[in-house]
Amino acid sequence: MTEQQIQHWRMITDDENVVWLHLDKSDAHVNTLSSVVMQEFEQMLHRLEQQTPTGVVILSDKSSGFIAGADVHEFSDRTDEDEIFAYIRYCQSLFERLQALPCPSVALIHGYCMGGGTELALACQYRVGVDEPDTRIGLPEIRLGIHPGYGGTVRSTRLLGPLTAMDMMLTGRALSARAGKRIGLFDYVVPQRHLHNAARRIIQQRPPVRKTKALHKMLSLRPVRPLLAWQLRKQVMKKADKNHYPAPYALIDLWEKYAGADDMMKQEARSVARLIGTNSAQNLIRVFFLQAAMKEAARQSSFKAGHVHVIGAGAMGGDIATWCALQGLTVTLQDQSAERIAPALGRAARLFRKKLKSTRLVTAAMDRLIPDPDRHGLGRADVVIEAIFEDLEVKQQLFREIEPLIRDDTLLCTNTSSIPLQELGECLHRPQRLVGLHFFNPVEKMQLVEIVHADNTDNNVINNAAAFTKQIAKLPLKVKSSPGFLINRVLMPYLLEAAFMVQEGIDPGLIDKASVRFGMPMGPVELADKVGLDICLSVAEILTSHLGGKVPDILNDYVSSGYTGLKSGRGFYEYRKGKPVKHRAGEDNELIRTIQDRLILRLLNEAVACLREGVVDSEDMLDAGMIFATGFAPFTGGPLKYLHSLKLENQKQRFEEFNKKYGGRFEMDAGWNKLLC
Ligand code: NAI
């Protein structure tokens, strides 16, 4: 046995002349294919070409997984198209040399295998995945505003067929080991302990390499491609506007024009090089970094919970408890009686079945979620989350009761959506231990959690809360306790402006259309109905009572008539089978522009005020929060990134114009001058 090591790769040649090529990127938690890693890979390839081994196995030494993809940092600095093109061609040539090795090549995959990692695996003759829930394989480049560039579009469409491969690339979806096996991405999935033996056996026995199926060849024939491409474009158009998200369209064009052609590789590289320079890709890459920064901020503490005690099994508490149990924690769930806990358990069972599928895993998750009306879990829990009625006195009464019963080191959290933390904490002996964990509804879908702190909150407590949030696979955003915190405060003026427009008689469908055209995932009128007009009204009343402003009468009128939105079957829209009945909205471009400006300027103005008041630490974190909690047009990079593309003078005029027309709602915040000077 011989071993050679360079900075990131280790090459072991065993007694059977099989080369085991280990990637272990130095100074990094995860393996990425940075340019240095690729240059070293070239050195390894050179040795393999000289050495003629019996077989090559590529594997990762990182516990987190195989390879997370190319090093995205390198793409955020480079925008010179020709330089990027040359680099991509270089990487493609390495994978072609890997594919051309005269011996069998096997990729052994555990944990994450994404983007460039999957493309490397596709250049191997065989792929073996570990049969564990954390094995995830995919080509998610579309989420960064590009598409695969290291031969991934060519090899995946050939191996999996255009229907499956295009679906995978267009959605950017990650697949489990078994799903990957089903579509043919993995040749074998095996338990971790059999992984190395599986590779040895493949190299000894050389089973037939998976070939392109006849049907896949047929679907890629020149006369068939335009039809399929048309279908794909139609699907994509429902989700992504071409002006905002050019990448999926470029991918379809590439396949339609060049599938099967000798120069598809070259065209793939050209297309990616072009896309990387677009604002859309640069902003989506920024969003990717913002997400990473939020996770990084959670690393300031090593706090890890085993047991969570949730008080209040209503809409929020029940779902928070369920989510924590789904993430593997032991959860005790307290309410005033067992009957009040039962509906939450029913919802939990449904979610576990949907997410976990296997009966064994569902049963285990149900076992972790323990109804606890007599609060036996309180004294043992590492984290206590209060989610009872939104009433200061009721909450304070509860805190007085529980403070002597919980451990000194227990993280004490409240899910209050509006009560200032300092007021809540007044009843505690140690108010500095109380922190807000503001989850959003529905808990299962919303990634963001606001970590709310008062001036006197202990810093360690804030960091522990962020670490706990990350532990349960949510994104923590630290915010100062102030009315509406950050997200509701910035979103509410946008929703209220939409309500004012409905009150003026503007068609709700047109308002939503204008907002979606701007890039929002859903229009504000439909969103308000979905959140519940009663909830919007109560948040709006709290905010206006602290910050001034007016709640549109229409909101009060609708709520008092029982029209609370989707849940009552009628709000601003009428609902049939859970869907809003929308009339065909017109195409008045001038009006659409005005609607967009009214909505977005109110949102931006509040964002500027929050930043000026220090509700959130930085522009980056504000952008991240708004994107991950509200879906604010990701291709813009977030509200403040978008704001920086505007001209101060133009905006001043627009504010003045709107202020004259619509009353004092459009008072430009003082912070604009500093941001756009
Ligand atoms: P809910 O009314 O659905 O549930 C409250 C639950 O608390 C009820 O089951 C009630 O029996 C229980 N409860 C009340 N007093 C209790 C006590 N002393 N001991 C034990 N259990 C008690 O309310 P929801 O909507 O779940 O709200 C809970 C908290 O979450 C509130 O502070 C609310 O502001 C906050 N929140 C609500 C959101 C929403 O969209 N509903 C979003 C984010 C936060």
PDB file of all heavy atoms in Angstrom, residues 612-643:
ATOM      1  N   ARG A 612     -32.284  52.441  10.621  1.00  0.00           N
ATOM      2  CA  ARG A 612     -31.865  53.666  11.323  1.00  0.00           C
ATOM      3  C   ARG A 612     -32.014  53.501  12.836  1.00  0.00           C
ATOM      4  O   ARG A 612     -31.162  53.933  13.608  1.00  0.00           O
ATOM      5  CB  ARG A 612     -32.710  54.844  10.817  1.00  0.00           C
ATOM      6  CG  ARG A 612     -32.355  56.184  11.424  1.00  0.00           C
ATOM      7  CD  ARG A 612     -33.157  57.324  10.829  1.00  0.00           C
ATOM      8  NE  ARG A 612     -34.590  57.082  10.749  1.00  0.00           N
ATOM      9  CZ  ARG A 612     -35.430  57.083  11.782  1.00  0.00           C
ATOM     10  NH1 ARG A 612     -34.981  57.313  12.987  1.00  0.00           N
ATOM     11  NH2 ARG A 612     -36.726  56.830  11.616  1.00  0.00           N
ATOM     12  N   GLU A 613     -33.090  52.800  13.251  1.00  0.00           N
ATOM     13  CA  GLU A 613     -33.327  52.631  14.691  1.00  0.00           C
ATOM     14  C   GLU A 613     -32.522  51.480  15.292  1.00  0.00           C
ATOM     15  O   GLU A 613     -32.626  51.203  16.479  1.00  0.00           O
ATOM     16  CB  GLU A 613     -34.821  52.355  14.937  1.00  0.00           C
ATOM     17  CG  GLU A 613     -35.708  53.546  14.669  1.00  0.00           C
ATOM     18  CD  GLU A 613     -37.187  53.169  14.731  1.00  0.00           C
ATOM     19  OE1 GLU A 613     -37.529  52.138  15.340  1.00  0.00           O
ATOM     20  OE2 GLU A 613     -37.991  53.911  14.153  1.00  0.00           O
ATOM     21  N   GLY A 614     -31.806  50.750  14.460  1.00  0.00           N
ATOM     22  CA  GLY A 614     -30.996  49.644  14.973  1.00  0.00           C
ATOM     23  C   GLY A 614     -31.817  48.427  15.386  1.00  0.00           C
ATOM     24  O   GLY A 614     -31.398  47.635  16.225  1.00  0.00           O
ATOM     25  N   VAL A 615     -33.019  48.254  14.777  1.00  0.00           N
ATOM     26  CA  VAL A 615     -33.826  47.064  15.083  1.00  0.00           C
ATOM     27  C   VAL A 615     -33.075  45.809  14.631  1.00  0.00           C
ATOM     28  O   VAL A 615     -33.180  44.741  15.220  1.00  0.00           O
ATOM     29  CB  VAL A 615     -35.203  47.154  14.370  1.00  0.00           C
ATOM     30  CG1 VAL A 615     -36.011  45.885  14.565  1.00  0.00           C
ATOM     31  CG2 VAL A 615     -35.971  48.366  14.862  1.00  0.00           C
ATOM     32  N   VAL A 616     -32.297  45.973  13.579  1.00  0.00           N
ATOM     33  CA  VAL A 616     -31.507  44.867  13.048  1.00  0.00           C
ATOM     34  C   VAL A 616     -30.085  45.394  12.846  1.00  0.00           C
ATOM     35  O   VAL A 616     -29.889  46.594  12.636  1.00  0.00           O
ATOM     36  CB  VAL A 616     -32.157  44.356  11.735  1.00  0.00           C
ATOM     37  CG1 VAL A 616     -32.213  45.424  10.671  1.00  0.00           C
ATOM     38  CG2 VAL A 616     -31.504  43.104  11.198  1.00  0.00           C
ATOM     39  N   ASP A 617     -29.099  44.465  12.917  1.00  0.00           N
ATOM     40  CA  ASP A 617     -27.693  44.895  12.933  1.00  0.00           C
ATOM     41  C   ASP A 617     -27.198  45.515  11.636  1.00  0.00           C
ATOM     42  O   ASP A 617     -26.379  46.407  11.640  1.00  0.00           O
ATOM     43  CB  ASP A 617     -26.783  43.683  13.221  1.00  0.00           C
ATOM     44  CG  ASP A 617     -26.889  43.269  14.663  1.00  0.00           C
ATOM     45  OD1 ASP A 617     -27.437  44.064  15.442  1.00  0.00           O
ATOM     46  OD2 ASP A 617     -26.442  42.154  14.987  1.00  0.00           O
ATOM     47  N   SER A 618     -27.635  44.973  10.497  1.00  0.00           N
ATOM     48  CA  SER A 618     -27.004  45.388   9.244  1.00  0.00           C
ATOM     49  C   SER A 618     -27.984  45.303   8.080  1.00  0.00           C
ATOM     50  O   SER A 618     -29.025  44.645   8.173  1.00  0.00           O
ATOM     51  CB  SER A 618     -25.819  44.459   8.939  1.00  0.00           C
ATOM     52  OG  SER A 618     -26.306  43.158   8.718  1.00  0.00           O
ATOM     53  N   GLU A 619     -27.608  45.952   6.983  1.00  0.00           N
ATOM     54  CA  GLU A 619     -28.416  45.876   5.756  1.00  0.00           C
ATOM     55  C   GLU A 619     -28.520  44.421   5.295  1.00  0.00           C
ATOM     56  O   GLU A 619     -29.575  43.963   4.863  1.00  0.00           O
ATOM     57  CB  GLU A 619     -27.772  46.708   4.646  1.00  0.00           C
ATOM     58  CG  GLU A 619     -27.775  48.183   4.935  1.00  0.00           C
ATOM     59  CD  GLU A 619     -27.218  49.010   3.781  1.00  0.00           C
ATOM     60  OE1 GLU A 619     -27.326  48.593   2.616  1.00  0.00           O
ATOM     61  OE2 GLU A 619     -26.681  50.092   4.049  1.00  0.00           O
ATOM     62  N   ASP A 620     -27.398  43.715   5.386  1.00  0.00           N
ATOM     63  CA  ASP A 620     -27.390  42.316   4.938  1.00  0.00           C
ATOM     64  C   ASP A 620     -28.424  41.486   5.696  1.00  0.00           C
ATOM     65  O   ASP A 620     -29.170  40.707   5.115  1.00  0.00           O
ATOM     66  CB  ASP A 620     -26.009  41.691   5.184  1.00  0.00           C
ATOM     67  CG  ASP A 620     -25.037  42.059   4.090  1.00  0.00           C
ATOM     68  OD1 ASP A 620     -25.454  42.770   3.154  1.00  0.00           O
ATOM     69  OD2 ASP A 620     -23.865  41.651   4.176  1.00  0.00           O
ATOM     70  N   MET A 621     -28.436  41.661   7.026  1.00  0.00           N
ATOM     71  CA  MET A 621     -29.351  40.842   7.828  1.00  0.00           C
ATOM     72  C   MET A 621     -30.806  41.245   7.580  1.00  0.00           C
ATOM     73  O   MET A 621     -31.709  40.410   7.621  1.00  0.00           O
ATOM     74  CB  MET A 621     -28.991  40.930   9.304  1.00  0.00           C
ATOM     75  CG  MET A 621     -27.784  40.108   9.678  1.00  0.00           C
ATOM     76  SD  MET A 621     -27.972  38.348   9.244  1.00  0.00           S
ATOM     77  CE  MET A 621     -26.835  38.152   7.901  1.00  0.00           C
ATOM     78  N   LEU A 622     -31.024  42.534   7.283  1.00  0.00           N
ATOM     79  CA  LEU A 622     -32.384  42.955   6.969  1.00  0.00           C
ATOM     80  C   LEU A 622     -32.838  42.288   5.655  1.00  0.00           C
ATOM     81  O   LEU A 622     -33.937  41.735   5.560  1.00  0.00           O
ATOM     82  CB  LEU A 622     -32.447  44.476   6.852  1.00  0.00           C
ATOM     83  CG  LEU A 622     -33.859  45.049   6.860  1.00  0.00           C
ATOM     84  CD1 LEU A 622     -33.865  46.443   7.477  1.00  0.00           C
ATOM     85  CD2 LEU A 622     -34.520  45.104   5.513  1.00  0.00           C
ATOM     86  N   ASP A 623     -31.960  42.319   4.666  1.00  0.00           N
ATOM     87  CA  ASP A 623     -32.290  41.684   3.382  1.00  0.00           C
ATOM     88  C   ASP A 623     -32.559  40.194   3.567  1.00  0.00           C
ATOM     89  O   ASP A 623     -33.526  39.644   3.035  1.00  0.00           O
ATOM     90  CB  ASP A 623     -31.134  41.878   2.388  1.00  0.00           C
ATOM     91  CG  ASP A 623     -31.172  43.265   1.744  1.00  0.00           C
ATOM     92  OD1 ASP A 623     -32.202  43.952   1.880  1.00  0.00           O
ATOM     93  OD2 ASP A 623     -30.183  43.654   1.104  1.00  0.00           O
ATOM     94  N   ALA A 624     -31.677  39.554   4.334  1.00  0.00           N
ATOM     95  CA  ALA A 624     -31.826  38.114   4.550  1.00  0.00           C
ATOM     96  C   ALA A 624     -33.171  37.822   5.209  1.00  0.00           C
ATOM     97  O   ALA A 624     -33.918  36.933   4.790  1.00  0.00           O
ATOM     98  CB  ALA A 624     -30.686  37.596   5.423  1.00  0.00           C
ATOM     99  N   GLY A 625     -33.490  38.602   6.242  1.00  0.00           N
ATOM    100  CA  GLY A 625     -34.740  38.388   6.966  1.00  0.00           C
ATOM    101  C   GLY A 625     -35.936  38.508   6.039  1.00  0.00           C
ATOM    102  O   GLY A 625     -36.829  37.654   6.031  1.00  0.00           O
ATOM    103  N   MET A 626     -35.961  39.556   5.232  1.00  0.00           N
ATOM    104  CA  MET A 626     -37.127  39.783   4.384  1.00  0.00           C
ATOM    105  C   MET A 626     -37.238  38.713   3.284  1.00  0.00           C
ATOM    106  O   MET A 626     -38.332  38.324   2.900  1.00  0.00           O
ATOM    107  CB  MET A 626     -37.076  41.177   3.739  1.00  0.00           C
ATOM    108  CG  MET A 626     -37.298  42.306   4.729  1.00  0.00           C
ATOM    109  SD  MET A 626     -38.788  42.097   5.741  1.00  0.00           S
ATOM    110  CE  MET A 626     -40.088  42.396   4.550  1.00  0.00           C
ATOM    111  N   ILE A 627     -36.101  38.246   2.811  1.00  0.00           N
ATOM    112  CA  ILE A 627     -36.158  37.199   1.771  1.00  0.00           C
ATOM    113  C   ILE A 627     -36.633  35.878   2.382  1.00  0.00           C
ATOM    114  O   ILE A 627     -37.534  35.227   1.852  1.00  0.00           O
ATOM    115  CB  ILE A 627     -34.781  37.030   1.089  1.00  0.00           C
ATOM    116  CG1 ILE A 627     -34.477  38.260   0.235  1.00  0.00           C
ATOM    117  CG2 ILE A 627     -34.755  35.770   0.224  1.00  0.00           C
ATOM    118  CD1 ILE A 627     -33.070  38.313  -0.319  1.00  0.00           C
ATOM    119  N   PHE A 628     -36.055  35.508   3.531  1.00  0.00           N
ATOM    120  CA  PHE A 628     -36.390  34.184   4.059  1.00  0.00           C
ATOM    121  C   PHE A 628     -37.713  34.140   4.814  1.00  0.00           C
ATOM    122  O   PHE A 628     -38.301  33.080   4.967  1.00  0.00           O
ATOM    123  CB  PHE A 628     -35.240  33.634   4.912  1.00  0.00           C
ATOM    124  CG  PHE A 628     -34.052  33.304   4.065  1.00  0.00           C
ATOM    125  CD1 PHE A 628     -32.912  34.073   4.082  1.00  0.00           C
ATOM    126  CD2 PHE A 628     -34.111  32.241   3.176  1.00  0.00           C
ATOM    127  CE1 PHE A 628     -31.835  33.796   3.256  1.00  0.00           C
ATOM    128  CE2 PHE A 628     -33.039  31.942   2.345  1.00  0.00           C
ATOM    129  CZ  PHE A 628     -31.908  32.720   2.379  1.00  0.00           C
ATOM    130  N   ALA A 629     -38.202  35.310   5.280  1.00  0.00           N
ATOM    131  CA  ALA A 629     -39.494  35.272   5.982  1.00  0.00           C
ATOM    132  C   ALA A 629     -40.653  35.619   5.057  1.00  0.00           C
ATOM    133  O   ALA A 629     -41.756  35.125   5.243  1.00  0.00           O
ATOM    134  CB  ALA A 629     -39.482  36.233   7.165  1.00  0.00           C
ATOM    135  N   THR A 630     -40.408  36.476   4.062  1.00  0.00           N
ATOM    136  CA  THR A 630     -41.550  36.922   3.246  1.00  0.00           C
ATOM    137  C   THR A 630     -41.388  36.572   1.771  1.00  0.00           C
ATOM    138  O   THR A 630     -42.294  36.805   0.986  1.00  0.00           O
ATOM    139  CB  THR A 630     -41.728  38.456   3.343  1.00  0.00           C
ATOM    140  OG1 THR A 630     -40.652  39.093   2.633  1.00  0.00           O
ATOM    141  CG2 THR A 630     -41.728  38.948   4.770  1.00  0.00           C
ATOM    142  N   GLY A 631     -40.226  36.066   1.393  1.00  0.00           N
ATOM    143  CA  GLY A 631     -40.002  35.739  -0.019  1.00  0.00           C
ATOM    144  C   GLY A 631     -39.761  36.978  -0.863  1.00  0.00           C
ATOM    145  O   GLY A 631     -39.878  36.934  -2.088  1.00  0.00           O
ATOM    146  N   PHE A 632     -39.374  38.121  -0.225  1.00  0.00           N
ATOM    147  CA  PHE A 632     -39.124  39.346  -0.986  1.00  0.00           C
ATOM    148  C   PHE A 632     -38.219  39.024  -2.177  1.00  0.00           C
ATOM    149  O   PHE A 632     -37.101  38.507  -2.007  1.00  0.00           O
ATOM    150  CB  PHE A 632     -38.463  40.406  -0.102  1.00  0.00           C
ATOM    151  CG  PHE A 632     -38.293  41.730  -0.803  1.00  0.00           C
ATOM    152  CD1 PHE A 632     -39.236  42.725  -0.654  1.00  0.00           C
ATOM    153  CD2 PHE A 632     -37.216  41.967  -1.656  1.00  0.00           C
ATOM    154  CE1 PHE A 632     -39.106  43.942  -1.325  1.00  0.00           C
ATOM    155  CE2 PHE A 632     -37.076  43.177  -2.329  1.00  0.00           C
ATOM    156  CZ  PHE A 632     -38.031  44.160  -2.162  1.00  0.00           C
ATOM    157  N   ALA A 633     -38.693  39.367  -3.373  1.00  0.00           N
ATOM    158  CA  ALA A 633     -38.031  39.097  -4.659  1.00  0.00           C
ATOM    159  C   ALA A 633     -36.535  38.764  -4.550  1.00  0.00           C
ATOM    160  O   ALA A 633     -35.696  39.677  -4.567  1.00  0.00           O
ATOM    161  CB  ALA A 633     -38.244  40.310  -5.559  1.00  0.00           C
ATOM    162  N   PRO A 634     -36.166  37.480  -4.454  1.00  0.00           N
ATOM    163  CA  PRO A 634     -34.766  37.116  -4.220  1.00  0.00           C
ATOM    164  C   PRO A 634     -33.811  37.625  -5.308  1.00  0.00           C
ATOM    165  O   PRO A 634     -32.674  37.941  -5.015  1.00  0.00           O
ATOM    166  CB  PRO A 634     -34.782  35.583  -4.214  1.00  0.00           C
ATOM    167  CG  PRO A 634     -36.183  35.214  -3.912  1.00  0.00           C
ATOM    168  CD  PRO A 634     -37.034  36.299  -4.484  1.00  0.00           C
ATOM    169  N   PHE A 635     -34.301  37.723  -6.567  1.00  0.00           N
ATOM    170  CA  PHE A 635     -33.392  38.127  -7.641  1.00  0.00           C
ATOM    171  C   PHE A 635     -32.913  39.576  -7.469  1.00  0.00           C
ATOM    172  O   PHE A 635     -31.949  39.993  -8.096  1.00  0.00           O
ATOM    173  CB  PHE A 635     -34.058  37.958  -9.017  1.00  0.00           C
ATOM    174  CG  PHE A 635     -35.106  38.996  -9.274  1.00  0.00           C
ATOM    175  CD1 PHE A 635     -34.796  40.165  -9.944  1.00  0.00           C
ATOM    176  CD2 PHE A 635     -36.397  38.821  -8.804  1.00  0.00           C
ATOM    177  CE1 PHE A 635     -35.754  41.143 -10.144  1.00  0.00           C
ATOM    178  CE2 PHE A 635     -37.356  39.791  -8.996  1.00  0.00           C
ATOM    179  CZ  PHE A 635     -37.032  40.961  -9.664  1.00  0.00           C
ATOM    180  N   THR A 636     -33.593  40.352  -6.594  1.00  0.00           N
ATOM    181  CA  THR A 636     -33.146  41.731  -6.342  1.00  0.00           C
ATOM    182  C   THR A 636     -32.051  41.760  -5.280  1.00  0.00           C
ATOM    183  O   THR A 636     -31.410  42.779  -5.080  1.00  0.00           O
ATOM    184  CB  THR A 636     -34.303  42.614  -5.825  1.00  0.00           C
ATOM    185  OG1 THR A 636     -34.752  42.079  -4.563  1.00  0.00           O
ATOM    186  CG2 THR A 636     -35.475  42.674  -6.780  1.00  0.00           C
ATOM    187  N   GLY A 637     -31.891  40.636  -4.561  1.00  0.00           N
ATOM    188  CA  GLY A 637     -30.898  40.584  -3.489  1.00  0.00           C
ATOM    189  C   GLY A 637     -31.448  41.094  -2.166  1.00  0.00           C
ATOM    190  O   GLY A 637     -30.724  41.198  -1.195  1.00  0.00           O
ATOM    191  N   GLY A 638     -32.735  41.481  -2.130  1.00  0.00           N
ATOM    192  CA  GLY A 638     -33.353  41.955  -0.882  1.00  0.00           C
ATOM    193  C   GLY A 638     -33.718  43.429  -0.992  1.00  0.00           C
ATOM    194  O   GLY A 638     -33.250  44.125  -1.889  1.00  0.00           O
ATOM    195  N   PRO A 639     -34.563  43.926  -0.053  1.00  0.00           N
ATOM    196  CA  PRO A 639     -35.057  45.304  -0.162  1.00  0.00           C
ATOM    197  C   PRO A 639     -33.942  46.354  -0.199  1.00  0.00           C
ATOM    198  O   PRO A 639     -34.002  47.278  -0.992  1.00  0.00           O
ATOM    199  CB  PRO A 639     -35.914  45.497   1.098  1.00  0.00           C
ATOM    200  CG  PRO A 639     -36.023  44.183   1.746  1.00  0.00           C
ATOM    201  CD  PRO A 639     -35.150  43.200   1.068  1.00  0.00           C
ATOM    202  N   LEU A 640     -32.922  46.198   0.650  1.00  0.00           N
ATOM    203  CA  LEU A 640     -31.902  47.260   0.671  1.00  0.00           C
ATOM    204  C   LEU A 640     -30.962  47.188  -0.520  1.00  0.00           C
ATOM    205  O   LEU A 640     -30.524  48.205  -1.037  1.00  0.00           O
ATOM    206  CB  LEU A 640     -31.150  47.237   1.994  1.00  0.00           C
ATOM    207  CG  LEU A 640     -32.059  47.876   3.050  1.00  0.00           C
ATOM    208  CD1 LEU A 640     -31.701  47.461   4.430  1.00  0.00           C
ATOM    209  CD2 LEU A 640     -32.073  49.383   2.916  1.00  0.00           C
ATOM    210  N   LYS A 641     -30.703  45.972  -0.962  1.00  0.00           N
ATOM    211  CA  LYS A 641     -29.889  45.852  -2.187  1.00  0.00           C
ATOM    212  C   LYS A 641     -30.651  46.514  -3.332  1.00  0.00           C
ATOM    213  O   LYS A 641     -30.067  47.225  -4.151  1.00  0.00           O
ATOM    214  CB  LYS A 641     -29.649  44.362  -2.466  1.00  0.00           C
ATOM    215  CG  LYS A 641     -28.767  44.075  -3.669  1.00  0.00           C
ATOM    216  CD  LYS A 641     -27.298  44.237  -3.328  1.00  0.00           C
ATOM    217  CE  LYS A 641     -26.394  44.489  -4.523  1.00  0.00           C
ATOM    218  NZ  LYS A 641     -26.488  43.553  -5.601  1.00  0.00           N
ATOM    219  N   TYR A 642     -31.946  46.291  -3.368  1.00  0.00           N
ATOM    220  CA  TYR A 642     -32.775  46.897  -4.411  1.00  0.00           C
ATOM    221  C   TYR A 642     -32.762  48.422  -4.269  1.00  0.00           C
ATOM    222  O   TYR A 642     -32.602  49.157  -5.246  1.00  0.00           O
ATOM    223  CB  TYR A 642     -34.200  46.344  -4.314  1.00  0.00           C
ATOM    224  CG  TYR A 642     -35.173  47.030  -5.230  1.00  0.00           C
ATOM    225  CD1 TYR A 642     -35.119  46.828  -6.607  1.00  0.00           C
ATOM    226  CD2 TYR A 642     -36.130  47.908  -4.728  1.00  0.00           C
ATOM    227  CE1 TYR A 642     -36.002  47.481  -7.452  1.00  0.00           C
ATOM    228  CE2 TYR A 642     -37.013  48.563  -5.569  1.00  0.00           C
ATOM    229  CZ  TYR A 642     -36.947  48.345  -6.937  1.00  0.00           C
ATOM    230  OH  TYR A 642     -37.812  48.997  -7.774  1.00  0.00           O
ATOM    231  N   LEU A 643     -32.888  48.876  -3.013  1.00  0.00           N
ATOM    232  CA  LEU A 643     -32.928  50.326  -2.755  1.00  0.00           C
ATOM    233  C   LEU A 643     -31.674  51.017  -3.302  1.00  0.00           C
ATOM    234  O   LEU A 643     -31.744  52.115  -3.838  1.00  0.00           O
ATOM    235  CB  LEU A 643     -33.060  50.534  -1.248  1.00  0.00           C
ATOM    236  CG  LEU A 643     -33.169  51.946  -0.714  1.00  0.00           C
ATOM    237  CD1 LEU A 643     -34.141  51.951   0.462  1.00  0.00           C
ATOM    238  CD2 LEU A 643     -31.848  52.492  -0.249  1.00  0.00           C
TER     239      LEU A 643
END
